[in-house]
Amino acid sequence: MSTTTPPDAPSTPPAAPAGATPAPRPAARILNTALRHPAVVPIGAVVVALLIGAAIMLAAGLDPIVAYTAVVSGALEPGTLDYTFSVWGFICGMALAAAIPLRMGEFNLGGNGQLVLGGLTAALIAGYAPLPGPIVIPLAVIGAAVVSGAFGALSAPLATRFGIPIIISTLLLSPVAVAIVSYLVRFQIGEAGSAVAQTPRLPEGARMWALGDFSYSNVGLLVIIAMMIVFWVVDSRSAVGYELRVVGANRRFGAYGGVRVGRLALGAMAAAGAAAGVVGAIIVMSSPYRLIDGALISPGYTFAGVAAALLAGGRPLLVPVTAILFTVLQVGGAAMERSADVPRQLSDVLQGVVIVVLALRVVLDQRRSERSSA
Amino acid sequence: MQLFELSFVAAVLLAATPILYAALAGALSAQAGVFNIALEGQMLWGAFAAVAGSYYTGSAWGGVLVALLSTALFAVILAVGSARWKADPIIIAIGTNLLALGLTGFLMRVLFDVSGSFSPRGLQGLPKMAFLADVPVIGPIFAGQTVLVPLAFVVIVAAGLWLKRTPAGLRLRGVGEHPDAATALGVNVASYQTWTTIVGGALCGVAGAQLALGNVTVFTENMTAGRGWIAVAAVMLVAGRPFWLPVACLGFGAAEALGFRLQGIGAPQQLTDAAPYAITLVVLVLTRIGFARRNRSRTLIDS
């Protein structure tokens, strides 16, 4: 498997060819410098994706301006802002689950399985443990992190001992977990006599604490923000974070320099699974306070998170920013469908296009290096 | 009793065929040194294109042709991006898989004004080989199948022989084995990789057509449901050798067909749905038990 190089290494400024060619005009030089800013690639990818989306809509006889306006206003109008915040939190959490392994060049595409296992664990602990709220709520979140973390970590020995790439094992494990949870909710722990496969409502004391007047966002959002801060600190300030980035930049060099790559992968996958598990726990412990079959994975938080992590190149400070984009697409997609009559699936199309454009950015780099070496 | 067993063989073949075509695409890519995990999205696009093509042309074979050509075109993104522009094939594939999922759902709404599934009255499915019905043994197995089912095995044997016995096949293997040596011998590595990936796209198109017009006659949102990933696992299992693909894919076909049988006698659908993935993973692990001793930590370090 090839590795992705986190694109945060500052590219060396172009060496002025010694007297061979006339120096570029100041305007051109400023433009050249501006194009090298690290924000250019993600922003460029988004702009190109929006243009391609507009072309697709025009071809389908739809009005892209009306659609995009509906997306933005639908996601950011005051009435839905509370809901948008909570979705942003979930997408950030799932972006963490993708970004942590991405930092070392591995892909975790099994977020759905890790998400539902976390939800299941929280539903069982919060629903059945006869403990007071201040104990049971953190216990449910931690339990979800432990179970999903262990499940995510399974992929690391599968890679080191059996040579099955993490991207493949996470993808094959995920539907198994989803199916088992779906089976349990449907036939074992579901509410008797309910038409929908869902667990009984959690008792009052085991629901995630409210956050002021918000009705969707709750203390869970703060937990996710705290996880992102921890990721940022570990990534930029600790030895483990340094090892992650070294292995991501050059795996052989990392191994040669004494990094235990297998152990690092185990830790990264455990942390990734734990992040997804916490998101599952928070969703279950938020309104409507139960585990509903399919409700955790159908909004597509997992792949919105993967897209946000890829667009951010796994960088901790960029993840919450790129997550905003996919949150707006996700929440605004429904509004776009209502008011502009553009199918919601356009959001998925844009997600895919952003990733493809981002991957193809190397063309830009190549052209540049050809030009500077010419 | 015999009828029951033969009908089970038929069900295994039916479940295995789309995976066979997609896995052949993946195996050819692997031989050319491209890690192709875009099979899932390409197969899904092929299924949609086949149904749309059959709907507009009024002919199932028209649908197959549309699927084959348009999926090859869809694969150009991966082919040119990874082979010529040296972009990361994994990231492109993650993107095109999402793109296929979104685009098929979007187009289904825009073109046909339905969501979920599309099966208009009079949609032409692929013809079954009913003329075989009276032949003993062959009849019960193949009479209900499309000609694409036996063709899959022919194509795989042909591709395997081509790889093994022709100069072009040798060069393709050389490109995957040692790109620098191939370049030194005057082989255009990028060109071989590009065309292999595009041909793989065409094969995935056929896989989708068999799924949507052969196994059933309908397009459903995300109808490939992970079959492309099972094909990727099959490629890993046989280390990209086409002749072994039928063994692996028939195994997965058997897991799926057995799941249907068990559902028929009351096993919960959720658990039988998970079986092909769990079995795939277990088989992968079992075939690689000696792996650690041979190449300690190789995938994590050398990948």
Side-chain angles (χ1 to χ4, degrees), chain B residues 89-129:
Chain B
I90 295 178
I91 301 187
I92 302 183
I94 293 174
T96 54
N97 286 338
L98 272 175
L99 183 62
L101 183 61
L103 209 53
T104 51
F106 178 80
L107 288 176
M108 190 158 63
R109 293 275 302 276
V110 170
L111 295 178
F112 309 123
D113 205 22
V114 292
S115 61
S117 70
F118 177 63
S119 98
R121 192 195 295 269
L123 178 68
Q124 294 293 317
L126 285 166
K128 310 285 192 281
M129 298 184 288

Side-chain angles (χ1 to χ4, degrees), chain B residues 50-73:
Chain B
V51 168
S54 172
Y55 176 71
Y56 284 124
T57 63
S59 140
W61 291 109
V64 174
L65 192 68
V66 170
L68 188 142
L69 293 177
S70 69
T71 315
L73 198 66

Side-chain angles (χ1 to χ4, degrees), chain B residues 40 44 101 104-105 108 116 211 219-227:
Chain B
E40 172 82 6
L44 183 63
L101 183 61
T104 51
M108 190 158 63
L211 188 67
F219 177 79
T220 329
E221 221 167 314
N222 195 18
M223 75 183 297
T224 45
R227 287 181 177 83

Side-chain angles (χ1 to χ4, degrees), chain A residues 1-2 4 106 159-163 165 167-168 171 173 179 182-183 186-187 251-252 337 345 349 352 355 359 363, chain B residues 37 85 87-88 90-91 95 102-103 109-110 221 229 232 236 268 270 274 281 288 291-292 299-303:
Chain A
M1 191 194 298
S2 64
T4 46
E106 293 293 348
T160 40
R161 297 208 171 268
F162 303 110
I167 186 173
I168 304 288
L171 264 163
L173 281 167
S182 172
Y183 166 77
R186 214 161 263 276
F187 298 108
R251 187 153 295 202
R252 277 165 174 277
E337 188 164 83
Q345 284 87 349
V349 174
I355 297 175
V363 187
Chain B
I37 56 161
W85 296 345
D88 188 338
I90 295 178
I91 301 187
L103 209 53
R109 293 275 302 276
V110 170
E221 221 167 314
W229 294 108
V232 171
M236 288 190 56
Q270 285 75 21
L281 200 61
R288 288 173 173 246
F291 179 88
T299 14
L300 271 178
I301 291 170
D302 268 357
S303 56

